[in-house]
């Protein structure tokens, strides 16, 4: 027997309600035609109403994105290409812009720039769709960078600090540890409540698999989403990848969460943009890049910020990576990104070859706003350490000529060499900020002055173990920290004595 509610839900009633509201009108629908296709792009005619960044659906199942508007033809980059796509295929405007599913169900997943799973799992469920080319937050919705983001790298957390919402460029030559530095930053967020997005643009599949496995082994995959556009993918997907990852992080930021996004790397993204632009006959500029390459990356990185408390208080910290050739910092794309970001971490090929890891060149690295976000206790201990270290490097260079030195200069060189050993760090071994405070206090109090450089590695391990087993925090009294450090170094001296 039908209940009272049943009739309103029946198909006949729904059809009747639909027909009651139906009014016959004239509908105009444009139907275009693919005139040429190849190299990941398509030329389409008879679509006079097409708009930039609008998705085009092709009748055999392919999809494309409007990238160039001509007088007669539309240039589109393919987002999905079937084997049946040829000249003569029909095309229609979808009226929508590209979007990606966003939400907590994407944590721990590996997806492509359109949100399709690449890890063999089911498509993400219970997600909203978010526009990939969304606008950045308005000025009135933003706040100042005032909270630190710890990367787990000693040099960065002490001398080149990064704040939440900052855009810090990682720049260096090939195989100098750029991705390792970014991976350590992602791993270091484990348990800190910071959600991460790692975007791989135009990388080999072997590198993508290695990064995912590293994150899984370190227990960092549950708070991370990996967006992958491999080297053999269509240029359209590689073009979309950083914007898609940004949209994911932006969704969490607007929910009040702190996020970290890594773009690995933007030099390949720029090359993809140049390739597509040249194929679509856009006028080339410097180094054959199109004239809007600067605004492309500025539009992307401008979306990283700190939201005001009235807008949720979330943040998005960006670590874009870029590769330079033969140490040439003055190339077009590197100078563009240096001017867009809030500082850079420069990794040097010679330091890497000499075995100084991480191979960060402190003389060429800078953080323009991170100091304002650094914790006051760490900031007080670091003080002039960066300047003193740079002076030590100059003095050490001077001693190579065999000049006779004063006792004070010899003491400064000896302390500089100890400091250099303290800054060494193995990869995949991020260290907490409490450890940074411990070694800073030990160094500033002269507790390490009698140590030899080759003994520093053992001292740092003992300090790290002592910090891990203590209850001291950054808010603890300095006397408590002095007692902890003294005890750790005393135990170290006892062990050395027993070994002797």
């Amino acid at each position: 027997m039908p209940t009272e509610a049943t009739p309103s839900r029946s198909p006949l009633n729904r059809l009747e309600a639909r027909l009651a509201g139906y009014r016959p009108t004239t509908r105009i629908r444009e139907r275009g035609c693919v005139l040429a296709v190849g190299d990941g792009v398509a030329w389409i005619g008879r679509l006079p109403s097409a708009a930039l960044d609008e998705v085009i659906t092709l009748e055999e199942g392919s999809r494309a994105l409007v990238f160039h508007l001509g007088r007669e033809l539309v240039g589109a980059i393919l987002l999905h290409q079937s084997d049946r796509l040829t000249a003569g295929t029909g095309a229609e405007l979808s009226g929508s812009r590209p979007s990606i599913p966003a939400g907590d169900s994407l944590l721990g997943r590996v997806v492509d720039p359109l949100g399709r799973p690449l890890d063999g799992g089911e498509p993400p469920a219970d997600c909203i769709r978010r526009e990939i080319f969304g606008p950045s937050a308005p000025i009135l919705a933003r706040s100042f960078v005032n909270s630190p983001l710890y990367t787990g790298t000693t040099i960065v957390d002490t001398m080149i600090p990064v704040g939440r919402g900052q855009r810090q460029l990682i720049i260096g030559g090939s195989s100098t540890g750029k991705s390792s530095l970014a991976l350590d930053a992602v791993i270091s967020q484990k348990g800190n409540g910071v959600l991460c997005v790692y975007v791989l643009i135009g990388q080999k599949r072997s590198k993508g698999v290695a990064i995912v496995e590293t994150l899984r082994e370190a227990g960092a995959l549950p708070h991370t989403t990996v967006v992958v556009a491999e080297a053999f993918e269509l240029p359209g997907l590689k073009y979309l990848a950083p914007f898609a990852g940004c949209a994911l992080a932006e969704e969490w930021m607007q929910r009040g969460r702190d996020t970290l996004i890594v773009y690995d790397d933007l030099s390949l993204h720029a090359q993809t943009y140049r390739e597509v632009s040249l194929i679509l006959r856009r006028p080339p500029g410097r180094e054959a890049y199109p004239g809007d390459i600067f605004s492309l990356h500025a539009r992307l990185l401008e979306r990283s910020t700190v939201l005001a408390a009235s807008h949720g208080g979330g943040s998005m910290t960006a670590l874009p990576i870029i590769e330079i050739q033969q140490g040439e910092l003055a190339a077009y794309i590197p100078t563009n990104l240096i001017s867009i970001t809030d500082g850079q971490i420069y990794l040097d090929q010679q330091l890497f070859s000499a075995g100084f890891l991480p191979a960060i060149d402190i003389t060429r690295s800078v953080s323009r706003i991170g100091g304002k976000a650094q914790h006051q206790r760490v900031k007080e201990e670091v003080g002039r350490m960066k300047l003193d270290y740079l002076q030590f490097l100059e003095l050490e260079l001077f001693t190579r000529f065999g000049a006779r030195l004063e006792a004070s200069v010899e003491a400064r060189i000896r302390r500089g060499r100890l400091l250099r050993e303290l800054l060494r760090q193995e990869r995949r071994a991020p260290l907490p900020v409490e450890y940074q405070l411990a070694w800073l206090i030990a160094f500033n109090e002269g507790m390490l002055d009698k140590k030899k450089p080759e003994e520093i590695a053992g001292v740092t391990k003992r300090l790290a173990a002592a910090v891990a087993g203590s209850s001291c925090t950054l808010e603890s009294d300095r006397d408590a920290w002095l007692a902890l450090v003294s005890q750790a170094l005393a135990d170290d001296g006892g062990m050395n004595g027993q070994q002797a």
Side-chain angles (χ1 to χ4, degrees), residues 49-72:
S49 301
L52 284 175
D53 297 334
E54 186 175 1
V55 175
I56 298 176
T57 56
L58 306 175
E59 65 179 3
E60 41 71 54
S62 299
R63 298 176 69 197
L65 182 72
V66 178
F67 189 79
H68 176 74
L69 296 177
R71 183 181 296 272
E72 302 291 339

Side-chain angles (χ1 to χ4, degrees), residues 330-386:
Y332 184 36
I333 300 302
T335 51
N336 277 356
L337 286 166
I338 287 173
S339 62
I340 293 170
T341 51
D342 304 313
Q344 72 272 354
I345 301 171
Y346 181 80
L347 289 100
D348 185 73
Q349 186 72 54
Q350 292 184 352
L351 289 175
F352 187 88
S353 301
F356 182 83
L357 300 177
I360 298 174
D361 187 346
I362 299 175
T363 62
R364 296 185 180 183
S365 301
V366 66
S367 176
R368 299 187 183 93
I369 60 175
K372 296 180 181 177
Q374 195 171 28
H375 194 281
Q376 192 61 29
R377 293 292 305 278
V378 179
K379 194 173 185 178
E380 290 172 358
E381 296 296 338
V382 170
R384 286 171 41 91
M385 190 171 288
K386 182 177 181 180

Side-chain angles (χ1 to χ4, degrees), residues 404-414:
R404 190 172 181 178
L405 303 175
E406 296 180 358
S408 60
V409 176
E410 287 184 354
R412 292 177 64 181
I413 292 177
R414 187 168 58 251

Side-chain angles (χ1 to χ4, degrees), residues 8 37 42 64 66 81 114 222 234 268 271 273 376 401 412 419 448 487 496 498:
S8 62
V37 60
V66 178
Q81 183 177 7
L114 296 177
L234 291 166
L268 291 175
Q271 292 171 14
Y273 192 68
Q376 192 61 29
F401 298 102
R412 292 177 64 181
L419 179 56
L448 305 176
Q487 180 64 36
N496 289 338
Q498 291 175 6

Side-chain angles (χ1 to χ4, degrees), residues 21-54:
Y22 177 77
R23 296 289 182 275
T25 57
T26 303
R27 293 183 176 85
I28 300 175
R29 190 173 66 178
E30 294 179 5
R31 180 174 174 79
C33 179
V34 175
L35 300 181
V37 60
D39 297 325
V41 304
W43 288 101
I44 303 173
R46 301 201 297 266
L47 289 178
S49 301
L52 284 175
D53 297 334
E54 186 175 1

Side-chain angles (χ1 to χ4, degrees), residues 77 93 108 194 212 244 271 274 292 314 325 337 441 466 478 490 493:
I77 53 177
L93 296 173
V194 178
V212 172
Q271 292 171 14
R274 175 173 62 181
D292 61 346
Q325 303 297 326
L337 286 166
I441 291 176
R478 195 172 192 273

